[in-house]
Amino acid sequence: MAAEPRQERIGATVLSLGATVVAGLEWLDRPQPGEVAESLPGWYVAFNVALHGAILLLLLIALLRLPRIVADRPDLRPLFLGLILVGTLAAAYLVGRDLGVV
């Protein structure tokens, strides 16, 4: 059980950095104003919504578990709070983009 907070910190870091990188790539690949964009197959959009939604949900759970994740290393609390919040915003952007809201 002593390794559990460390494993959760690693998991939160990987999810947050992954969501941030993917959101950055999606932002760079956005169509320019006036450019015609091809529509994607429905299964692909549904898969992306499910995947990005799961990442968003896991990051929100990590945010709720933050006190337990950093209980053994309280000096890391501001770093992980910022990391998880940035990842959550990136994942929310991805879900919004998949749903056509953004």
Side-chain angles (χ1 to χ4, degrees):
M1 284 304 219
E4 186 177 327
R6 183 174 184 273
Q7 291 171 348
E8 287 190 52
R9 285 194 299 266
I10 291 171
T13 301
V14 168
L15 281 173
S16 183
L17 292 177
T20 305
V21 167
V22 172
L25 292 173
E26 286 286 329
W27 186 78
L28 289 174
D29 195 37
R30 70 190 188 283
Q32 297 298 321
E35 185 179 338
V36 176
E38 292 182 32
S39 63
L40 299 171
W43 66 268
Y44 183 77
V45 173
F47 176 76
N48 277 340
V49 169
L51 180 66
H52 298 148
I55 291 170
L56 179 60
L57 180 65
L58 289 172
L59 283 169
L60 290 174
I61 291 171
L63 187 61
L64 292 174
R65 293 186 49 85
L66 184 63
R68 284 175 263 175
I69 290 174
V70 295
D72 60 338
R73 304 275 309 265
D75 55 323
L76 293 177
R77 185 180 179 98
L79 174 69
F80 274 92
L81 178 62
L83 185 71
I84 292 171
L85 287 176
V86 167
T88 302
L89 288 173
Y93 170 76
L94 289 171
V95 171
R97 184 167 161 92
D98 292 340
L99 295 174
V101 178
V102 178

